[in-house]
């Protein structure tokens, strides 16, 4: 099955732990993510590597040309460390998005880096990658302001 990937980064004014805390809360991304309608937490646990995970039920409304349609799918976010997480999303039958995200403190603030790998059948891998990139890029573009607003 074809695989494509892309990477994004942002500099934010928040601790690396706070950045990952926020990114793990998918229900907080509404308004940042262009397609997200809702994210509902449906389960949690710990994997065999002793990493906590959270399962989400996602509803999105992406576009196919001028038409919008609704999709519902599961997502699992796993906290690999205080400053790192991974995501596994089954966006459609045979279509997977895997994300690896890290946050590292630096002189200019915390650098957040995410690599997304899209696996999908060849007729839709380009479409899936394009819309994943659009959604994640917009989320990353809004991340600095959102974290500044939500820091307590």
């Amino acid at each position: 099955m074809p695989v494509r990937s892309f990477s994004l980064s942002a500099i934010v004014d928040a601790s690396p732990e706070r950045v990952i805390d926020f990114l793990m809360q998918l229900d907080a991304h509404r308004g940042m993510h262009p397609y997200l309608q809702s994210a509902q937490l449906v389960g949690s646990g710990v994997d065999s590597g002793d990493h906590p995970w959270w399962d989400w039920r996602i509803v999105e409304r992406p576009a196919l040309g001028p038409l919008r349609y609704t999709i519902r799918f599961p997502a699992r976010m796993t906290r690999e460390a205080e400053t790192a997480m991974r995501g596994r999303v089954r966006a459609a039958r045979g279509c997977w998005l895997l994300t690896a995200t890290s946050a590292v403190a630096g002189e200019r603030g915390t650098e957040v880096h995410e690599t997304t790998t899209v696996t999908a059948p060849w007729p839709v891998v380009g479409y899936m990658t394009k819309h994943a990139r659009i959604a994640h890029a917009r989320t990353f573009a809004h991340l600095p302001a959102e974290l500044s607003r939500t820091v307590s």
Side-chain angles (χ1 to χ4, degrees):
M1 195 150 341
V3 175
R4 304 234 176 114
S5 65
F6 60 91
S7 295
L8 299 165
S9 61
I11 302 290
V12 299
D13 187 21
S15 71
E17 297 82 5
R18 173 70 183 114
V19 172
I20 298 299
D21 287 345
F22 180 80
L23 290 173
M24 295 286 298
Q25 300 170 352
L26 298 184
D27 54 348
H29 301 184
R30 193 158 187 263
M32 295 172 57
H33 186 296
Y35 308 132
L36 183 65
Q37 297 296 300
S38 67
Q40 179 182 9
L41 185 62
V42 295
S44 63
V46 177
D47 69 15
S48 61
D50 207 28
H51 301 116
W53 55 261
W54 292 266
D55 281 345
W56 296 86
R57 175 67 53 200
I58 307 298
V59 178
E60 289 187 359
R61 287 199 37 92
L64 182 58
L67 304 174
R68 287 212 173 278
Y69 60 96
T70 301
I71 57 174
R72 292 171 175 78
F73 54 87
R76 175 170 285 186
M77 299 295 120
T78 302
R79 185 86 178 237
E80 293 191 317
E82 287 298 309
T83 61
M85 62 181 278
R86 65 181 143 86
R88 181 175 172 88
V89 175
R90 182 178 177 252
R93 187 174 180 176
C95 300
W96 292 92
L97 280 75
L98 304 177
T99 58
T101 308
S102 62
V104 178
E107 290 180 18
R108 299 182 308 146
T110 294
E111 182 173 352
V112 187
H113 182 79
E114 178 183 88
T115 298
T116 300
T117 302
V118 179
T119 304
W122 71 265
V124 297
V125 70
Y127 173 83
M128 295 295 295
T129 303
K130 173 185 173 182
H131 284 279
R133 184 188 304 263
I134 289 168
H136 289 225
R138 180 166 167 202
T139 300
F140 264 61
H142 285 82
L143 192 57
E146 190 63 27
L147 281 167
S148 292
R149 189 179 70 76
T150 60
V151 170
S152 45

